[in-house]
Amino acid sequence: MSTNTASPLPPLEPPAPRGTNRGTTGPSPRPGIAMLPGYSRSAGKASVRWIASSNELPVPPSRAVQDAVAAAAADANRYPSLAGDNLVAAVAGRLGLEPGQVVAGAGSLALLQLLLTTYTGSGDEVIYAWRSYEAYPILVGVTGAAAVEVPLTSATRHDLNSMAAAITTATRAVIVCSPNNPTGTTIDHEELMDFLNRVPAQVLVILDEAYREFSLTEHDSTHLLKKYANLAVLRTFSKAYGLAGLRAGYLAASQDIAANLRRAAPPFPLSRVAEAAAIAAWNEPDATAQTISRIVDERRYLSAQLRSRGIEVPESGGNFVWIPAGDRALELEAACLAQSVSVRAFDREGVRITLGEHGATTAVLAAVDSMGAAVHTTSGTLCTLT
């Protein structure tokens, strides 16, 4: 006769009174989530005259875009299109793509997250340049994949040779940011093609072109989709189209990649308002070109003024200029705030200045002149600010 020696089950706890918490801790996130870096905030943005810290346009949307927003908002009781269908059709038509190659989303950042969560996960590696867009390590970390950061060259450009050499059997994706945020440096068409030829076909190449319009390039990288089935191109309406507050963007890729993303994506990626605004802005290429020209002129002016002071700023293809201030980045940020302009400082690296109002540019130059000290140049030497 056997004897059961197992301990009896503990008695059930009585239900907790309403409004009380049974324990002191709640659910825990997946391993690694708590260690993710936070997205930085620019100092003093709410108390300055000029905002040069967020890569926004300094002007509101056109009257046509505002009218489209108002009309869409009047029907806010109705769901938007299932997949941003009208915007997809408009984008595909102009770019000469099939609608099945275009995916719409709430900005290129949301589409990047969709790409990474669809194609990468635990045990995989994702390669990107560093310093680059600060959301990359956050989004890669969320997927559970391992980030492989390849340092920029001394000229703050992508080191594509080293990035290609870093690819292993565990690599599932490579992110290329051109123009690079925050340094503004670009990758030319021949460099990109050479890199794509070196990446294995099973590795996804994500080309982040959030600032493409400001680079004034003659080549449209979406034409490469015919040759490279592992390429996905990200673009946004937040920058050149001035819709940062509405969150709209698109992705162009092979039909297979796009179909997989649509399977993984929740429905209704764009609000009615965001889709209507994006279509209206898309249909104003002349107005967009005029805005871009104004920003590029301001970029040339600020870059020339900084160089005349002995500061070697890299050639920028974005709506911003990078000052390689090194250990004095936070000091330069504080000097700018004292001139009532917010900028984005990256501690011990540099300061990114968004182009827009000429008054902001003048304020930044006054801040630079007020320091009377030295900053790091792209060659790694030192130069005086005054």
Side-chain angles (χ1 to χ4, degrees):
M1 183 176 179
S2 62
T3 303
N4 188 349
T5 59
S7 301
L9 292 173
L12 292 175
E13 294 184 22
R18 230 175 243 198
T20 63
N21 194 328
R22 191 187 300 277
T24 58
T25 60
S28 298
R30 290 187 293 108
I33 296 296
M35 302 301 293
L36 294 177
Y39 197 89
S40 68
R41 295 173 179 265
S42 57
K45 184 175 178 180
S47 59
V48 295
R49 180 177 179 182
W50 298 285
I51 297 175
S53 53
S54 299
N55 289 349
E56 306 155 328
L57 286 188
V59 294
S62 70
R63 173 52 57 189
V65 173
Q66 293 184 44
D67 288 345
V69 166
D75 291 326
N77 57 305
R78 301 297 183 186
Y79 278 105
S81 62
L82 187 64
D85 306 304
N86 295 328
L87 179 59
V88 165
V91 169
R94 181 181 299 177
L95 297 182
L97 301 173
E98 294 296 325
Q101 292 181 267
V102 179
V103 179
S108 57
L109 184 58
L111 290 165
L112 173 60
Q113 184 170 30
L114 178 61
L115 272 168
L116 291 174
T117 54
T118 301
Y119 281 92
T120 72
S122 179
D124 298 329
E125 293 178 350
V126 179
I127 298 171
Y128 52 84
W130 196 253
R131 158 78 59 185
S132 194
Y133 185 30
E134 61 183 318
Y136 294 161
I138 300 172
L139 297 188
V140 172
V142 168
T143 70
V148 179
E149 298 181 342
V150 177
L152 298 173
T153 69
S154 59
T156 68
R157 303 184 76 247
H158 278 54
D159 187 344
L160 293 178
N161 288 330
S162 295
M163 291 178 71
I167 295 174
T168 69
T169 56
T171 305
R172 292 297 305 277
V174 181
I175 305 173
V176 177
C177 186
S178 180
N180 184 49
N181 180 11
T183 65
T185 49
T186 60
I187 297 167
D188 65 40
H189 190 67
E190 290 71 25
E191 287 179 304
L192 177 60
M193 289 189 65
D194 179 68
F195 179 72
L196 290 169
N197 287 332
R198 299 172 65 183
V199 177
Q202 69 272 19
V203 175
L204 176 67
V205 177
I206 303 170
L207 180 58
D208 187 347
E209 292 190 328
Y211 302 93
R212 173 189 179 275
E213 292 84 357
F214 300 102
S215 67
L216 306 180
T217 178
E218 297 178 358
H219 296 281
D220 192 321
S221 56
T222 58
H223 295 163
L224 297 174
L225 297 175
K226 296 177 181 178
K227 183 176 180 180
Y228 301 100
N230 60 334
L231 176 64
V233 181
L234 291 171
R235 292 178 181 168
T236 183
F237 286 89
S238 296
K239 310 304 179 184
Y241 295 94
L243 301 181
L246 291 180
R247 316 306 302 139
Y250 67 91
L251 173 151
S254 69
Q255 297 213 42
D256 286 343
I257 290 176
N260 287 330
L261 296 178
R262 282 190 288 270
R263 291 186 188 99
F268 315 118
L270 294 174
S271 70
R272 294 179 66 92
V273 169
E275 183 174 15
I279 293 171
W282 184 253
N283 289 332
E284 291 188 318
D286 291 342
T288 302
Q290 290 176 9
T291 300
I292 291 169
S293 178
R294 171 184 167 185
I295 297 299
V296 170
D297 285 346
E298 199 68 23
R299 184 178 72 198
R300 292 192 183 108
Y301 175 79
L302 177 58
S303 297
Q305 288 294 314
L306 291 170
R307 289 169 185 146
S308 72
R309 290 161 167 78
I311 303 172
E312 296 181 28
V313 295
E315 196 68 37
S316 175
N319 65 335
F320 52 89
V321 169
W322 173 253
I323 300 179
D327 293 339
R328 309 202 68 183
L330 296 183
E331 183 181 351
L332 178 54
E333 178 189 42
C336 288
L337 289 174
Q339 298 292 331
S340 199
V341 57
S342 69
V343 296
R344 183 64 63 91
F346 298 86
D347 192 17
R348 295 182 294 276
E349 295 180 74
V351 175
R352 190 192 69 197
I353 313 295
T354 303
L355 286 314
E357 297 166 282
H358 189 68
T361 301
T362 301
V364 168
L365 291 172
V368 168
D369 291 339
S370 74
M371 289 180 64
V375 295
H376 290 285
T377 68
T378 53
S379 61
T381 59
L382 292 175
C383 65
T384 57
L385 287 168
T386 59

